Structures are given as C-alpha cells and as structure tokens.
Amino acid sequence: MPLSNSLLIILAIALIGFFITRQRAYSIALKNGGVAKLHSLPLYYGYLAGIWALVPALILLACWSAFENTLINSSVLGLAPADLVAQGEDQMALLLNQVQNIAAGSIEASPDDALQARMVARMQSLQGTSLLIKSALAIILAVVGVLWAFKSVNPNYRARIKVEGFVRIAMLLCASVAVLTTVGIVFSVLFESVRFFGKVPISEFMLGTHWSPQTSIREDQVASEGSFGAIPLFLGTLLISAIALIVAVPIGLMSAIYLTEYAKPQVRAFAKPAMEILAGIPTVVYGFFAALTVAPALRGWGESIGLSVSSESALAAGLVMGVMIIPFVSSLSDDVLNAVPQTMRDGSLGLGATKSETIRQVVIPAALPGIVGGVLLAASRAIGETMIVVMAAGLAANMTVNPLEAVTTVTVQIVTLLTGDQEFDSAKTLAAFALGLMLFITTLVLNVIALHVVRKYREQYE
Amino acid sequence: MNNTTTKRNTTDIVKAGLAKRYARERRFKLMGVAAVSISMAFLAFLLISIFAKGLPAFQTTYIKLDITLEKKSLGLPEEPTAIEISRARYDKSIKKALLAQFPDVTKRKEKRMLYQFVSSYASRQVADALVADPTLLDTTASLWVLADDEVAALARQADYTLEKKDKQTEITRARIEELKAENRIETRFNWLFFQRGDSREPEAAGIKGAIMGSFYTLIVTLVLSFPIGVAAAVYLEEFAPKNKLTDIIEVNINNLAAVPSIVYGLLGVAVFINFFHLPRSAPLVGGIVLSLMTLPTIIIASRAALKSVPPSIADAALALGASKIQTITHHVLPLAMPGILTGTIIGMAQALGESAPLLMIGMVAFIVDVPTGITDPATVLPVQVYLWSDSPERAFTERTSAAIMVLLIFLIAMNALAVLLRKQFERRW
C-alpha cells in the first residue's frame, strides 16, 4: 500500500533526523568544550528533530485523509446526469457505494455501464493524485522539520525544555481521551435519539405499553402507531435486575462478611481467587450456561410441580445474572467492611456482644452507606448487562412481572435492532439509540450516586 | 444489697439468653459458609458442565473409503495443475465410493441417506490429498475422510444418541459396526478445530478464525490503550494541577469504568462506522472500541501503581538535578511498571472476554476465512461462542463448550501471568 510506504519513509526520515541531529549536537559540544556546555543533552536535540519530522507530517496526513473522501465523492457525483440526481439521495448513495467498491477492486464493474465506468475512472484518478500530493507534501514537511531542528542546534538552544513541553502536551491529550469518549458517547447517542424523537413522540416512547418495532419497517407505514412504547422493556429490565439483585446481594454480602470476619487465612487464600475467577468468566459463558443448562432445568422442575415455565423465563436469566454479580457485590462489600475501624469491633466485643451481634449491630450499620453504594453499582451493572439476557431472555415484549414468563430487556432490544440491516434512517435502528440513551442516563445516575456515597463514606473513616 | 440482686439478675438474664445467642451466632456463621459455598458450588458446576459438554468436540471421526479418482470423470486434463486439482469437485467420486462400500443400498431414499455419511468437507480433503500426491489420480485410493457429525456421535456412542432407536439410526449403527469390523472407522484428535474458520458443518467448523480475530483485535486494543492509558495516568498523577478540569477528568474516568459495555458499541456504530466510515466487522474498529473500554481500567491501575512508588525516590532524583519528566521516565515509571503491566493484562483479559459491543459493530457475521489483517472481516472467540450457541445441532453445542474451554484457558493464562508479575515484582516500600 502506497500510504503505508510514505508513512515508512516519514518514519525513516524521523530516525535519520534523530541520529544526524544528535551527532551534530555532539560535534558542536566538542567544539565548545564538552557536552556540559550544551543546554540539553545531545539526545534531546535528536528527539526534537524526530518530533519535528513526525508530528506535522502526521497531522497533515490525518487532516488530508479526513477531508479528501468528501471532496472526491462530490466531484465524482458531479458526473451524474440531472435525472439521476432527481431520484433522491438514497439512489446517489447507492451509486457512490458501488463506484467506491469498484474503484477499490472489491467488486467487479458491470461492463456496459458507461457512466459507472467514467465515475470509476475519475474516482481512481482523483484518488491517485490525492495520494501523490499528500504523500509528497508530508515527506517534504518531514524533511523541512528535520532541517529546521538540525539548523537550530546550538549550545543555548533549550531542546530539553521543548521536548518536555511536547511530552506534557501529549500526555494531556491522552488524559483528555477519557473526556472525549464521554463526549462521543453522549453526542452519538443524543444525536440519534433526537432524530428518533422527531419520528416518534417522546411521550409515546416513555409511556407507551406496546413494543413491536418490527412492524414499523413495512413500507408506507407511519412509525408512530403505538409500536414504540418502551414501558415493557423497562419493566422487563427491572424484573430481571431485581431477581439478580435478590440473588446477589444476600449471597455476596454474606460471603464478604464471612471472608473478612470469620474465615481462616487458608480459607480466604482459596476462596478469594475462586471469587475472582467467577468475576473473570466472560458474560457470554454465563449466557450460554443460562440458556442451555439453567433454563431447561427450571422448565423441567416447573413442569414436575405443575407450573408452566417459559423456556426463556426471566427467572433463568436473573438467577445466572445474580451469580455473575456475586463477586462484584462481595469484593465491594469486602473493601467497605475492611474500612470499618477495628476499634469499633473491639468496643462491641469488649461489652460482651457475640461476633454476629457485633457484625449486625455495629459493623454493618457503620458500613451501610458503602454497602448501599456497592448495591447501586451492582444494580447499574445488572441493568447494563447484555450477553446473558440476549442469550437467555426472550424477544417478545410482554408486560408482566411474573418471573416464570419470558420478558425482554432494553439491552436485548438494542442488540436485536442494531444487528442485521443497517438502514440508518429507519425509526427501528434509531430506537436503539433512544434505548441506549435511557440506559446511559440510568446507569450514569446510579454510578454517580454510588461513587459519591462510597467516597463520602471512605472519607468518614480516613 | 438491692444492688447485688440486680447485678445477679442481670448476669442471670445474660446467662439465660446465652444459649440462644450462641445458637444465633452459629446460624449466622453457617449462613456465611453457605453463601461462600453456593458461589463455589456454582463455579464448580459451571466448569464441570462446560468441560463435560465440550470434551467430545476435541475428538472427530474419520472413515476410510476406497475412492476411484479418474481424471476423465473428474473433468481434469491429462496434465492437471495443482490449482485445477484443488478446484475439481470430488463429491461424485466420494458418493460412488460410499455405494461401493455398501453395495446393498439401491433405493434412492436410502442412497441419499448414505451420502450423508461423510461430511461435505470430505471433498476438500480428497482435493488436498491429491494436491499433495498427484500420482493418486487414475487409481483407487484409500483415503481417510471426515465423517458427518451425527455419524461421529453414533460411532462414539454419545449418551444423547443411546435412546435413539428409530429405523434410520439403527441402519446407521449397523453400518458403523460394519466399518468397525473392517477397521475403516477411526476416532482421532480434532486438529481441524484449531485449523479452520467457521463452517455450516459442525464437524468441519473450527475456531482458528475466531482466535486470529481475537488476536488482531487485542493487538489493536493493546497498541492504543497501553500508551494512552499510561500517559494519561502519569499526567493525572504527576502533572495535573488541582483544578476543575482535572476533577472533571477524574470523575469521568471513574464513570466510564462503570458504563455498560453495550453503550461503547453504540458509540462504535455511530462514530467509527457511520461517521468515519471505517470497515464494518473489522478487528480495527473492534480494537478501537475495546481500547476505549479498557482505558479506565488501565488508567486506574496505573495510577495506583504510580502512587505506590515512594516520593523519596522522586525527591532524590529531583535533588540531583533531573527534570520532572526525567525523574518520571528514569525512576518512577520503571518502578511502577509491574503494577501497570498487571493492570494492563487484566484489562486485556476483560477485552478478550467482551462481546456485546462487538455485536453492534458487525463482528457477528458468518465468516469462513481466517482473517489476515486488522481490516479483514473477522469475529472473535466470545462472539463465536454466541454464534454457535444458537445452532440447534448437538455437535455445535459441543463445539461451543469447547470454544469456551479455549477462551477460559486463555483468560486463566493471562490472569496467571498477572498474578505472577505481581508476586515476582511487587515491592513493599
């Protein structure tokens, strides 16, 4: 690939620049009476040359590549006759896609389409020219950068300060990637959601009780026919999460209490890593287990006592999800319980309370805010969990709180709406983003509260 | 006087209640034991059930057939090239060989049943054998070819086949016995499972494609998230001024660590695929999304590692005239490296097991070819597990469990490496 070649050339220029500039710094230093006479070590002059070679050239390449496609595409589409343009944007996008694929060589051109051939030819020639210019410019820029650094080597030049300044800026940029990610999530989800709410009123989405997105992609059907009411999804999510928490909170909390307060070191040395293994098992494995082992077993038991259990029951998904969260609850509670000062336990034990009385009446009340924080984090994890419910819960949006029936969740619907066809304008795919927005907001609020509570609590005992 | 009676009374009250309180104490402790045992029991049950289901997938059954390979009937020229040989269709020859093996089959329906005795991959195997040894052409070669998954299950008498007593199954059983008597059927280790990509035929499906997909995805993730994560951690720990912006970044990182993974998938679809037009289903996009997801883990672990390096070391370096960045790159960072690497490995293990965001960006496609680069369409191990778990065939259930075993082995190896690093290099200052 020519682009990777020019990247390699730029990299080579940077390396050569590094060595020759460092060498020049050495020779200048010798002329002036030793390396100590330079402001910075010769190494830093070399680094500076490398930075000057790489950074401007790479920025140029990145910017050029970001904008060239738009320009090339509009120029290629300019060839299309007016009657084709009149057919609408979808048609044009399709045509463009074909031309792009042919130009890239991934599909065969149809032999008797003159327009297509012209467009492909123009696209290829434009792409070729663009690549040539951009590579040449980048390489020139790299050479100029090295020359600049090479020229400016002198004993008073503060190369180290410049290099360190650059490193600092680079680190700041890395740190802001986290912020950019959040901004990216918020904007991508929000933007598509706004488009969705343009098609389906927000009140209907939030309050409607009927969810069947599949029907709305039929042609000529208005999307707002009561098929995007998300209440059943919210209810299903809450149901499964509630089952999961009912399993996970008591077991997780009791495990943490036992492991911190009672267990001998040998037991702890064995049980803690086992818990970590449980936490490290991929969720898809839990999902497989829920769908193929737990759900049929539950169904069998239900039948043997005369209950009708759906094979995609909320109970199966909830139980397995609960087990998945146990180590999470347990390790968070563990931290919190350990943070309770020993003096409080000693005081209670000294007054004659038994160990369990101490734990129930002193340690847990003292640790309660932290435990609540942990439970909130666990809840946010249960709500956002995807693979278990995708594999073990159903697709039908039933309005029910019966754990033996099949329900669907927000995450299941996001996955089903977005895998498969990728028409980006249909209400169906946009609905996934609206659901994602709900999910993001809910988990964000839970997390913020939980983190705040936990932090407040830690400060209390520090 | 009065006082002592009360005292005695209190003691009595306490003593009277002791038995009850101790019983409650025991019950409480028992609950704790029960809670831990439930988790352990579940873990054991999960692992045992997956291993029991998955082990048969590591075996596969081969059948020896005497296949007549005439160039003419195969449509090959007199001096065929390797490409011509590998492109020819051998289904008919295999069918003839099957009929020759069981001459009593005459009816059409029975024939059709017989043809399903060997996998459709057998044709490929014959082609490979011929490419390796073209002298077999125009002879009747005894070749071992892959049996169909149901035949394989019957041959090794898998427990779910024992109850099957219908006519067809009985006929197949009799044929297997016939082959066994002639030493024409054999169980071997399933190397194909590690050599091939996905397939519609369970007996010919493998996880090499998924493993390579996971490999490329993780490489992208590592290349992006490790330098960015470490740089961000160093900045936040050592340089960041205490101001609003730093606070925002910190709160952000903590929150990102708890954002559901599927939301990262939405970000991937909207930004990288729809806006930047990166290729769908490619490890490149998967790696970018996963690296955004693992960044918080790496940053948090790296900050903890940096914090644990005693300030006296940095102070000594600074006192000797090193600049702040020299102090960090020459002293603090190398000392914190074991901790940083441990955090990175744990983050990578998380990324390896993650599948939800990858479903969003199209890494769920049915892909037969093994990917050879970061822009090839690919799938990853956990997604392969998800894909196979949907298939109704028992053989696919076995392969799903086997793929999970491979995935777990990778994860355990990574975590063991992290523990080892921690044990080996951890220093208490």
Side-chain angles (χ1 to χ4, degrees):
Chain A
M1 233 172 89
L3 184 61
S4 57
N5 282 348
S6 51
L7 279 177
L8 279 180
I9 293 174
I10 292 170
L11 205 64
I13 293 173
L15 269 179
I16 295 168
F18 170 78
F19 285 116
I20 59 168
T21 315
R22 192 180 63 170
Q23 203 49 49
R24 184 172 147 93
Y26 268 123
S27 49
I28 288 181
L30 285 183
K31 261 184 244 157
N32 288 286
V35 171
K37 293 281 188 270
L38 290 180
H39 171 268
S40 316
L41 290 172
L43 195 66
Y44 285 97
Y45 294 95
Y47 281 147
L48 203 60
I51 291 170
W52 274 117
L54 278 181
V55 178
L58 291 185
I59 291 176
L60 175 93
L61 277 184
C63 291
W64 191 295
S65 305
F67 291 110
E68 71 176 347
N69 270 343
T70 335
L71 291 177
I72 292 178
N73 287 350
S74 66
S75 159
V76 167
L77 283 181
L79 284 178
D83 57 322
L84 205 65
V85 178
Q87 283 178 14
E89 273 182 33
D90 290 351
Q91 209 59 35
M92 296 299 279
L94 198 70
L95 183 67
L96 189 65
N97 201 349
Q98 264 179 355
V99 172
Q100 275 169 343
N101 280 330
I102 296 168
S106 47
I107 58 172
E108 301 272 312
S110 50
D112 49 320
D113 192 338
L115 173 68
Q116 197 184 54
R118 277 217 326 276
M119 287 172 91
V120 170
R122 176 177 286 197
M123 176 163 277
Q124 276 169 338
S125 84
L126 279 176
Q127 275 172 345
T129 330
S130 162
L131 185 68
L132 201 68
I133 299 177
K134 126 178 126 177
S135 304
L137 271 182
I139 289 170
I140 291 171
L141 214 55
V143 172
V144 169
V146 168
L147 286 181
W148 167 262
F150 190 75
K151 286 287 275 183
S152 49
V153 181
N154 72 61
N156 295 324
Y157 191 65
R158 297 151 73 87
R160 199 198 73 227
I161 307 288
K162 297 228 158 137
V163 172
E164 291 186 349
F166 170 79
V167 170
R168 252 177 120 121
I169 292 172
M171 287 199 296
L172 175 63
L173 287 179
C174 288
S176 47
V177 167
V179 180
L180 277 183
T181 309
T182 311
V183 172
I185 289 175
V186 170
F187 271 90
S188 59
V189 174
L190 203 63
F191 185 64
E192 308 288 347
S193 299
V194 168
R195 279 170 69 193
F196 173 72
F197 290 131
K199 297 185 183 218
V200 176
I202 189 164
S203 58
E204 191 190 308
F205 178 72
M206 298 295 290
L207 300 172
T209 56
H210 183 63
W211 176 269
S212 58
Q214 297 302 335
T215 55
S216 70
I217 56 167
R218 237 164 43 212
E219 262 177 52
D220 306 328
Q221 187 179 6
V222 189
S224 53
E225 282 191 21
S227 46
F228 282 100
I231 292 283
L233 310 190
F234 298 149
L235 203 64
T237 310
L238 283 183
L239 178 64
I240 291 185
S241 306
I243 297 171
L245 288 181
I246 288 170
V247 173
V249 171
I251 296 182
L253 191 57
M254 278 314 290
S255 312
I257 289 173
Y258 181 76
L259 290 178
T260 50
E261 309 279 337
Y262 286 105
K264 292 187 191 114
Q266 299 97 300
V267 178
R268 224 184 350 247
F270 168 76
K272 277 220 161 174
M275 283 282 190
E276 275 172 35
I277 294 181
L278 210 52
I281 292 177
T283 52
V284 69
V285 178
Y286 283 107
F288 176 69
F289 187 70
L292 266 93
T293 309
V294 177
L298 280 179
R299 199 185 152 95
W301 288 338
E303 269 170 12
S304 66
I305 55 169
L307 283 171
S308 82
V309 183
S310 160
S311 57
E312 293 174 331
S313 64
L315 192 59
L319 281 178
V320 174
M321 194 194 280
V323 174
M324 187 201 83
I325 306 177
I326 289 174
F328 192 67
V329 175
S330 144
S331 80
L332 283 172
S333 317
D334 211 310
D335 294 347
V336 173
L337 290 174
N338 273 326
V340 175
Q342 186 61 31
T343 46
M344 290 177 76
R345 290 190 188 89
D346 292 347
S348 167
L349 291 172
L351 286 173
T354 63
K355 219 163 179 180
S356 66
E357 283 163 354
T358 305
I359 292 166
R360 267 189 292 207
Q361 287 159 25
V362 178
V363 178
I364 291 184
L368 199 60
I371 293 174
V372 170
V375 172
L376 287 180
L377 280 180
S380 115
R381 180 164 272 211
I383 290 171
E385 170 49 43
T386 309
M387 290 319 287
I388 294 178
V389 280
V390 166
M391 293 166 83
L395 283 176
N398 296 327
M399 274 283 273
T400 176
V401 286
N402 180 355
L404 303 181
E405 278 180 45
V407 293
T408 190
T409 71
V410 173
T411 47
V412 173
Q413 289 304 320
I414 295 178
V415 170
T416 32
L417 292 177
L418 271 188
T419 46
D421 74 301
Q422 284 291 313
E423 255 183 285
F424 236 83
D425 289 330
S426 71
K428 189 185 146 202
T429 42
L430 292 178
F433 286 91
L435 290 174
L437 181 67
M438 294 295 136
L439 187 65
F440 183 68
I441 292 175
T442 318
T443 51
L444 188 71
V445 169
L446 282 174
N447 293 337
V448 168
I449 297 175
L451 289 175
H452 181 76
V453 169
V454 171
R455 190 190 278 182
K456 263 272 140 60
Y457 167 79
R458 284 224 179 101
E459 280 163 8
Q460 203 180 327
Y461 288 116
E462 253 163 21
Chain B
M1 189 68 191
N2 203 6
N3 207 357
T4 45
T5 11
T6 339
K7 245 184 197 163
R8 199 176 294 146
N9 278 348
T10 320
T11 324
D12 286 341
I13 293 168
V14 170
K15 273 190 180 151
L18 265 187
K20 231 180 186 177
R21 286 171 62 202
Y22 285 155
R24 209 183 291 160
E25 166 77 23
R26 274 194 300 276
R27 278 204 301 277
F28 191 75
K29 197 173 165 184
L30 216 63
M31 272 160 65
V33 176
V36 176
S37 333
I38 288 177
S39 321
M40 300 297 113
F42 183 89
L43 179 63
F45 184 50
L46 178 90
L47 293 181
I48 290 171
S49 94
I50 283 174
F51 270 69
K53 269 198 197 126
L55 277 180
F58 290 108
Q59 290 188 333
T60 188
T61 305
Y62 278 76
I63 297 174
K64 189 157 89 174
L65 290 177
D66 300 329
I67 307 172
T68 311
L69 299 156
E70 284 173 8
K71 278 182 206 146
K72 222 197 238 161
S73 58
L74 290 170
L76 286 172
E78 212 36 55
E79 295 288 328
T81 61
I83 295 168
E84 278 167 336
I85 292 177
S86 107
R87 283 206 182 142
R89 306 284 304 165
Y90 299 94
D91 301 348
K92 270 197 187 140
S93 317
I94 292 168
K95 282 176 184 171
K96 270 188 202 150
L98 275 170
L99 286 176
Q101 183 67 41
F102 300 102
D104 52 321
V105 177
T106 46
K107 280 186 213 142
R108 256 185 87 186
K109 209 177 142 197
E110 282 184 5
K111 276 188 187 171
R112 207 178 304 140
M113 214 183 96
L114 181 65
Y115 294 157
Q116 285 169 8
F117 222 77
V118 296
S119 164
S120 58
Y121 180 64
S123 170
R124 185 78 252 133
Q125 286 179 312
V126 174
D128 288 345
L130 284 181
V131 169
D133 183 9
T135 55
L136 292 177
L137 277 172
D138 280 337
T139 62
T140 300
S142 284
L143 292 174
W144 286 97
V145 294
L146 196 60
D148 183 66
D149 59 306
E150 280 170 32
V151 175
L154 285 171
R156 66 178 153 80
Q157 294 171 338
D159 46 7
Y160 60 88
T161 59
L162 293 181
E163 285 161 23
K164 268 193 176 171
K165 288 268 177 339
D166 55 298
K167 206 175 140 208
Q168 278 203 0
T169 316
E170 289 302 331
I171 296 173
T172 314
R173 276 210 185 98
R175 285 189 185 139
I176 290 170
E177 287 309 316
E178 236 173 274
L179 288 171
K180 264 187 191 159
E182 290 180 47
N183 275 335
R184 280 178 176 276
I185 192 159
E186 189 172 284
T187 307
R188 299 184 186 173
F189 185 77
N190 190 0
W191 287 112
L192 281 180
F193 189 62
F194 299 100
Q195 290 166 343
R196 284 179 51 81
D198 200 359
S199 169
R200 297 276 184 224
E201 306 287 330
E203 66 275 2
I207 52 169
K208 191 178 176 197
I211 289 181
M212 292 316 285
S214 276
F215 174 74
Y216 288 124
T217 311
L218 278 196
I219 290 285
V220 174
T221 310
L222 185 65
V223 165
L224 286 176
S225 64
F226 181 67
I228 296 180
V230 173
V234 169
Y235 181 80
L236 291 174
E237 202 54 43
E238 308 280 347
F239 291 100
K242 285 268 164 281
N243 61 18
K244 265 265 148 58
L245 183 72
T246 315
D247 265 359
I248 290 176
I249 294 180
E250 272 194 44
V251 171
N252 231 304
I253 289 171
N254 283 333
N255 271 322
L256 277 181
V259 167
S261 58
I262 192 171
V263 174
Y264 286 96
L266 290 175
L267 171 77
V269 178
V271 174
F272 299 120
I273 292 188
N274 274 332
F275 189 73
F276 285 121
H277 294 292
L278 292 176
R280 275 174 70 77
S281 312
L284 177 65
V285 185
I288 295 175
V289 171
L290 289 183
S291 65
L292 292 182
M293 228 186 73
T294 44
L295 258 184
T297 315
I298 295 180
I299 294 177
I300 291 169
S302 304
R303 289 189 67 180
L306 288 169
K307 218 179 257 170
S308 72
V309 176
S312 55
I313 289 173
D315 290 346
L318 290 171
L320 287 173
S323 72
K324 181 102 188 170
I325 288 192
Q326 285 171 330
T327 307
I328 289 163
T329 50
H330 297 172
H331 301 285
V332 181
L333 213 49
L335 289 172
M337 214 21 108
I340 294 176
L341 287 180
T342 309
T344 308
I345 294 172
I346 289 172
M348 286 298 118
Q350 270 173 20
L352 175 60
E354 194 55 69
S355 36
L358 303 180
L359 299 186
M360 312 267 85
I361 57 162
M363 290 184 91
V364 279
F366 172 74
I367 292 153
V368 177
D369 297 326
V370 175
T372 54
I374 56 169
T375 49
D376 284 357
T379 184
V380 295
L381 258 181
V383 177
Q384 187 72 70
V385 168
Y386 167 69
L387 283 171
W388 280 350
S389 71
D390 260 358
S391 306
E393 291 104 323
R394 277 303 281 254
F396 265 127
T397 311
E398 286 164 2
R399 270 153 186 77
T400 315
S401 301
I404 290 175
M405 283 161 70
V406 174
L407 179 62
L408 288 181
I409 286 168
F410 275 119
L411 286 176
I412 288 171
M414 286 170 91
N415 281 308
L417 186 66
V419 171
L420 207 72
L421 262 178
R422 194 156 44 188
K423 280 249 165 73
Q424 196 71 35
F425 294 104
E426 191 179 48
R427 276 206 234 177
R428 296 246 172 245
W429 303 95

